[in-house]
Amino acid sequence: MALVVQKFGGTSMGSIERIKHVATRVLEEKEKGNDVVVVVSAMAGETDRLINLVKEITAEPNERDMDFVVSTGEQVSAGLLSITLNHMGHSAVSLTGWQAGIKTDDAFTKARILSIDTDRIKNYLKQGKIVVITGFQGITESGDITTLGRGGSDTSAVALAAALNADRCDIYTDVDGVYTADPRIVPEARKIDVLSYEEMLELASLGAKVLQIRSVEFAMKYKVPLRVRCTFTSDEGTLIKEEDETMERVVVRGIAHNKNEARITVERVPDKPGIAAKLFDALAEANIPVDMIVQNVSVDGYTDISFTVEKNDAPKAEKITRKVAEEIGAKGVIRDDRIAKVSIVGLGMRSHAGVAGKVFDTLAKYGINIIMISTSEIKISCIVDEKFTELAVRVLHEAFGLDKNE
Amino acid sequence: MALVVQKFGGTSMGSIERIKHVATRVLEEKEKGNDVVVVVSAMAGETDRLINLVKEITAEPNERDMDFVVSTGEQVSAGLLSITLNHMGHSAVSLTGWQAGIKTDDAFTKARILSIDTDRIKNYLKQGKIVVITGFQGITESGDITTLGRGGSDTSAVALAAALNADRCDIYTDVDGVYTADPRIVPEARKIDVLSYEEMLELASLGAKVLQIRSVEFAMKYKVPLRVRCTFTSDEGTLIKEEDETMERVVVRGIAHNKNEARITVERVPDKPGIAAKLFDALAEANIPVDMIVQNVSVDGYTDISFTVEKNDAPKAEKITRKVAEEIGAKGVIRDDRIAKVSIVGLGMRSHAGVAGKVFDTLAKYGINIIMISTSEIKISCIVDEKFTELAVRVLHEAFGLDKNE
């Protein structure tokens, strides 16, 4: 007998009809003889409805009361699912975040889970009950309701799985797993059956539609096997788990792309210590996260520094960069919003040479110029002109044989 | 400096525009230098929306989860009011029933308040905050969310006022007070400025549109002065408080009517001990509340027994009565759904003779036949043919001079 945590998102819970279908997925697991804890999001559209009510009052509500209001969405859906399960003749009970013992810090609207007191859940499981818990929320030390930020229900599910020492955490969603590339771009993309936490984190931009990154980090930290599967089909989905010896055999696991970044280049920066620090400190102070940073070897006492930020942040980042550039006597600042990041990811890169060369050759063969390069042990990312995004993904997908069975 | 509990109903909280208006009523009280605790209902229509979602699943949901779902309505409105007050530059905080320390029994959907732990509320008040609390709900010993039944927010407000030893509990609603009669029937009806708890309870059918009866009983028990006033006007409303020496001077305080009862008469019942008990035990067993009971003196060893029940219960009550009538050898059973109860209420009746006579004379003068009569120390109720309801109310209102100033 296993303990399984299941998480259902807002689309899966989007209507009474769908909640009834979710109930059948819960019962499938229960009828295997497993203990089942279910974590649910608010019904699709409900959180937005609540936020819009608040926005009618003010664009800047106090965040404690905001969480107080918004957390009700999951309470409704959890209650409805429990009512459905009970109506179908099974014993179920609904719990809010605080009833489930989920303690968080007091960073309202984006709280972090500190600990989970699982006594009450375990008691219900011992009584044979299915326990339905509101995702996305918890309670502070002083008894205030918090939310974990958008998509936080995935984190709730993984944290509960970790605290309960569950055998598996299944994230049910409207896609049937993680793919070798975005299937809308590469029709030959295959569903990945199994991959490691590290690979999943690097494939963030594929997984972001499916999984909140924080929940993968959490699962990795606590070694909770995570499965992404579809609410509406019986496909086994994608399993994300600890690296094992078979995994390194696959050189490239998948290809991710991201059109949501912009590049900023500072030209002819005097190559003196502390210059880069000055720039990135200023950006950090303005709360602008920087993704890739590339600086070339200086040839004549001057160097170029390029970095990427989210497109939303680009205008503000450019302004700050111009100010710093002036102070440090750089020649100028160029901003380019029409770029894309294409990344190939795979544990096998660690032990296989020549992967980078093959990436560059492949892109060159199709006339795709590489603007920036950044690598990690299991990833190679290239910044290319935005117009080449789909082409780059497709030719790399083919070059590394991702359309063929592993 | 006083402590005032204010309660706003669903109509008052029906939209963001209205919630903003409610905020101004709260601030009026706060700006007098008073401590203010606000109890709110769900936005009009919201509780029904939630109930309808549940009814899509089943007509008989398990009640624990039902309360889990339905209690969110007040959480949203309390949060929205607190956001509004904070946005207007005042310090406010929203609390759920459990956060406010409202402990109830576990009779889900109709729980009763057992105790209130006011520490948290008092702490916030000490900090100068306006405390906004969800009406209609509490928590059981074992940490389950309960609701108090429809209209329970009035009870929440009065219970909080009692527990906090508040100087007053103001119930804001969409009418401006309790009237000497229903103004839709008697245009000359006057708003009553002040009356006693006992009178208010007897005038239930006037007050039911305004106040939940349980909340009046609660206020009476704990001697909390209760004021009914309108959210949308500045009228002082009606004050309901402990009887004082001036109150008995008014013989008749108001006239109530109720068209929602049916009469059942058992004809020619053998006048033997235990016969009435047999009938009313059977009705009690079927959970049918009986209002008036009239039995005349027996003349020839037989008597007639008449009683009234709610119209909804009448068919079931008739069936039970017919069965008992057969068993006890009564002649027959008559049911009449077309009756009305007209009651005059006033503390002064205790010390003024001739009130009953005046009621009977007045009705007789207008050809209104009295079917049943029932009296208490401060009330005379007559059952009349339904078609005379409005006429009876109007002529009694005039006969006792209720259209004139006290």
Side-chain angles (χ1 to χ4, degrees):
Chain A
M1 196 178 81
L3 169 57
V4 179
V5 175
Q6 298 183 311
K7 182 257 167 179
F8 294 91
T11 310
S12 303
M13 300 292 288
S15 66
I16 297 297
E17 218 39 65
R18 289 191 170 182
I19 289 174
K20 286 178 180 170
H21 179 72
V22 163
T24 67
R25 301 309 303 253
V26 173
L27 294 177
E28 269 171 32
E29 203 63 55
K30 179 71 181 165
E31 276 155 11
K32 285 179 195 159
N34 293 333
D35 279 340
V36 186
V37 171
V38 189
V39 176
V40 296
S41 300
M43 295 173 81
E46 180 61 11
T47 304
D48 285 333
R49 186 184 74 86
L50 293 167
I51 290 173
N52 287 337
L53 276 174
V54 171
K55 297 284 179 212
E56 269 189 67
I57 302 169
T58 166
E60 291 180 353
N62 81 81
E63 296 185 328
R64 181 198 172 280
D65 290 331
M66 182 76 184
D67 280 357
F68 187 92
V69 169
V70 172
S71 63
T72 59
E74 285 74 23
Q75 190 168 331
V76 170
S77 60
L80 293 175
L81 178 57
S82 180
I83 287 170
T84 306
L85 290 164
N86 278 294
H87 175 61
M88 291 165 86
H90 297 266
S91 184
V93 64
S94 54
L95 295 179
T96 61
W98 61 267
Q99 287 176 324
I102 301 175
K103 308 277 165 55
T104 74
D105 60 20
D106 62 359
F108 294 107
T109 76
K110 49 183 180 300
R112 300 191 79 94
I113 295 174
L114 298 178
S115 68
I116 302 182
D117 176 353
T118 57
D119 286 355
R120 189 164 177 180
I121 300 173
K122 282 180 179 162
N123 257 330
Y124 284 130
L125 291 175
K126 220 174 281 169
Q127 295 167 31
K129 285 189 199 290
I130 299 164
V131 185
V132 184
I133 301 174
T134 57
F136 174 65
Q137 62 192 256
I139 190 166
T140 66
E141 187 65 40
S142 53
D144 291 318
I145 297 168
T146 51
T147 71
L148 309 181
R150 282 250 153 167
S153 293
D154 288 354
T155 307
S156 301
V158 175
L160 280 162
L164 290 163
N165 204 11
D167 296 276
R168 211 175 61 235
C169 180
D170 288 354
I171 308 285
Y172 284 81
T173 176
D174 46 0
V175 300
D176 62 359
V178 180
Y179 275 71
T180 51
D182 186 335
R184 285 168 303 183
I185 292 180
V186 186
E188 299 78 24
R190 280 178 314 98
K191 183 175 66 67
I192 302 170
D193 291 330
V194 58
L195 77 168
S196 71
Y197 299 120
E198 290 83 354
E199 287 171 318
M200 185 67 233
L201 286 174
E202 295 291 4
L203 286 171
S205 73
L206 290 177
K209 294 147 203 158
V210 185
L211 278 179
Q212 208 206 11
I213 291 314
R214 237 167 92 193
S215 69
V216 181
E217 291 169 347
F218 221 102
M220 178 161 76
K221 184 168 170 194
Y222 293 101
K223 302 186 175 37
V224 178
L226 206 56
R227 194 162 60 143
V228 176
R229 61 183 304 192
C230 180
T231 310
F232 310 104
T233 72
S234 59
D235 194 283
E236 286 291 312
T238 297
L239 184 65
I240 305 151
K241 63 187 201 64
E242 273 199 287
E243 182 181 339
D244 66 34
E245 65 283 357
T246 68
M247 285 185 182
E248 270 207 11
R249 283 182 219 148
V250 179
V251 180
V252 176
R253 184 69 70 189
I255 300 178
H257 69 279
N258 181 355
K259 292 188 184 182
N260 197 30
E261 293 192 358
R263 171 181 65 97
I264 294 176
T265 297
V266 194
E267 295 178 298
R268 285 190 67 77
V269 178
D271 192 10
K272 283 185 291 194
I275 291 280
K278 196 162 191 173
L279 174 59
F280 294 109
D281 283 354
L283 292 167
E285 217 164 276
N287 249 321
I288 299 175
V290 174
D291 180 23
M292 283 169 64
I293 301 175
V294 173
Q295 178 182 343
N296 259 350
V297 177
S298 149
V299 280
D300 54 356
Y302 291 89
T303 184
D304 295 342
I305 299 179
S306 291
F307 59 93
T308 63
V309 295
E310 282 211 2
K311 256 181 201 163
N312 281 340
D313 290 330
K316 199 170 160 197
E318 183 189 354
K319 207 171 143 190
I320 291 167
T321 306
R322 285 200 183 281
K323 197 159 161 275
V324 175
E326 203 170 315
E327 285 169 26
I328 60 179
K331 187 184 156 209
V333 172
I334 299 166
R335 175 176 136 207
D336 183 359
D337 283 3
R338 301 185 59 82
I339 60 158
K341 183 170 72 169
V342 176
S343 310
I344 65 167
V345 174
L347 284 180
M349 285 186 207
R350 287 195 300 230
S351 46
H352 289 73
V355 177
K358 191 166 175 181
V359 169
F360 307 150
D361 284 350
T362 306
L363 295 179
K365 194 171 134 193
Y366 287 90
I368 302 170
N369 187 40
I370 301 173
I371 302 170
M372 288 167 76
I373 299 170
S374 158
T375 62
S376 80
E377 221 187 356
I378 65 165
K379 182 186 74 167
I380 299 170
S381 293
C382 299
I383 297 290
V384 299
D385 189 310
E386 195 183 53
K387 67 172 175 282
F388 292 124
T389 317
E390 290 78 7
L391 179 64
V393 172
R394 283 176 199 137
V395 297
L396 290 170
H397 197 269
E398 198 188 1
F400 286 98
L402 290 178
D403 49 341
K404 297 180 183 70
N405 274 332
E406 286 163 24
Chain B
M1 198 179 80
L3 169 56
V4 178
V5 174
Q6 298 183 311
K7 182 257 166 178
F8 294 91
T11 310
S12 303
M13 299 292 288
S15 67
I16 297 297
E17 219 39 65
R18 289 192 170 181
I19 289 174
K20 286 178 183 171
H21 178 72
V22 163
T24 65
R25 301 309 303 253
V26 173
L27 294 177
E28 269 171 31
E29 203 63 55
K30 180 72 180 165
E31 277 156 11
K32 284 180 197 160
N34 293 331
D35 279 341
V36 185
V37 170
V38 188
V39 175
V40 296
S41 299
M43 296 172 80
E46 180 61 11
T47 304
D48 285 333
R49 186 183 74 85
L50 293 166
I51 290 174
N52 287 338
L53 276 174
V54 171
K55 297 285 179 210
E56 268 189 67
I57 303 170
T58 166
E60 290 181 354
N62 80 81
E63 295 185 328
R64 181 198 172 279
D65 291 331
M66 182 77 184
D67 280 356
F68 188 92
V69 170
V70 172
S71 62
T72 59
E74 285 74 25
Q75 191 168 329
V76 171
S77 60
L80 293 175
L81 178 57
S82 181
I83 287 170
T84 305
L85 289 165
N86 279 294
H87 175 60
M88 292 165 85
H90 298 266
S91 184
V93 65
S94 54
L95 295 178
T96 61
W98 60 268
Q99 287 175 324
I102 301 175
K103 308 278 166 55
T104 73
D105 62 20
D106 62 359
F108 294 107
T109 75
K110 49 184 181 299
R112 300 191 79 95
I113 296 174
L114 299 178
S115 67
I116 302 182
D117 176 355
T118 56
D119 287 354
R120 188 164 177 179
I121 300 172
K122 283 179 179 162
N123 258 330
Y124 285 130
L125 291 176
K126 220 174 280 171
Q127 295 164 33
K129 284 188 200 291
I130 298 164
V131 185
V132 184
I133 301 174
T134 57
F136 174 65
Q137 62 194 255
I139 190 166
T140 66
E141 186 65 41
S142 53
D144 291 318
I145 297 168
T146 52
T147 70
L148 309 181
R150 282 250 152 165
S153 292
D154 288 352
T155 306
S156 301
V158 175
L160 281 161
L164 290 163
N165 204 9
D167 296 276
R168 210 175 61 234
C169 181
D170 289 354
I171 308 285
Y172 285 81
T173 177
D174 46 0
V175 299
D176 62 0
V178 179
Y179 275 72
T180 50
D182 186 335
R184 286 169 303 185
I185 292 181
V186 185
E188 298 78 24
R190 281 179 311 100
K191 183 174 68 66
I192 302 171
D193 291 329
V194 57
L195 78 169
S196 71
Y197 299 119
E198 290 83 354
E199 287 170 320
M200 185 68 233
L201 286 174
E202 294 291 4
L203 286 171
S205 72
L206 290 178
K209 294 146 204 159
V210 185
L211 278 178
Q212 209 207 9
I213 290 314
R214 238 167 91 193
S215 69
V216 181
E217 291 168 347
F218 221 102
M220 177 160 77
K221 186 168 169 193
Y222 294 101
K223 303 186 174 35
V224 178
L226 206 58
R227 195 162 61 142
V228 176
R229 60 184 303 192
C230 181
T231 309
F232 309 106
T233 70
S234 58
D235 193 284
E236 285 291 311
T238 297
L239 184 65
I240 304 151
K241 64 187 200 67
E242 273 199 287
E243 182 181 339
D244 65 34
E245 66 282 358
T246 68
M247 285 185 183
E248 270 206 14
R249 283 182 219 147
V250 178
V251 179
V252 176
R253 185 71 70 190
I255 300 179
H257 69 278
N258 181 355
K259 292 186 183 183
N260 198 29
E261 294 193 359
R263 170 182 65 96
I264 295 177
T265 298
V266 195
E267 296 177 296
R268 285 189 68 75
V269 178
D271 193 10
K272 284 185 291 195
I275 291 280
K278 197 162 189 172
L279 174 60
F280 294 109
D281 282 354
L283 292 168
E285 218 164 277
N287 249 321
I288 298 174
V290 174
D291 180 23
M292 283 168 63
I293 300 176
V294 173
Q295 180 182 342
N296 260 349
V297 177
S298 150
V299 279
D300 54 356
Y302 291 90
T303 183
D304 295 344
I305 298 179
S306 291
F307 59 92
T308 63
V309 295
E310 283 210 1
K311 255 180 201 163
N312 280 340
D313 290 330
K316 200 171 161 195
E318 183 188 355
K319 208 171 139 190
I320 292 168
T321 306
R322 285 199 182 282
K323 198 160 159 277
V324 175
E326 204 170 313
E327 286 168 27
I328 60 177
K331 188 186 156 207
V333 172
I334 300 167
R335 176 178 135 206
D336 184 0
D337 283 4
R338 302 186 57 83
I339 59 158
K341 182 169 74 169
V342 176
S343 310
I344 65 166
V345 174
L347 285 180
M349 285 186 208
R350 288 195 299 231
S351 45
H352 290 72
V355 176
K358 190 167 176 180
V359 168
F360 306 151
D361 283 350
T362 304
L363 295 178
K365 193 172 135 194
Y366 287 90
I368 302 169
N369 187 39
I370 301 173
I371 303 170
M372 287 167 76
I373 297 170
S374 159
T375 62
S376 79
E377 221 186 355
I378 65 164
K379 182 186 74 168
I380 299 170
S381 293
C382 298
I383 298 291
V384 299
D385 189 312
E386 195 183 55
K387 68 172 174 280
F388 292 123
T389 316
E390 290 78 7
L391 179 64
V393 172
R394 283 176 199 136
V395 298
L396 289 171
H397 197 269
E398 198 190 0
F400 285 99
L402 290 178
D403 49 342
K404 299 180 184 70
N405 274 333
E406 286 164 27

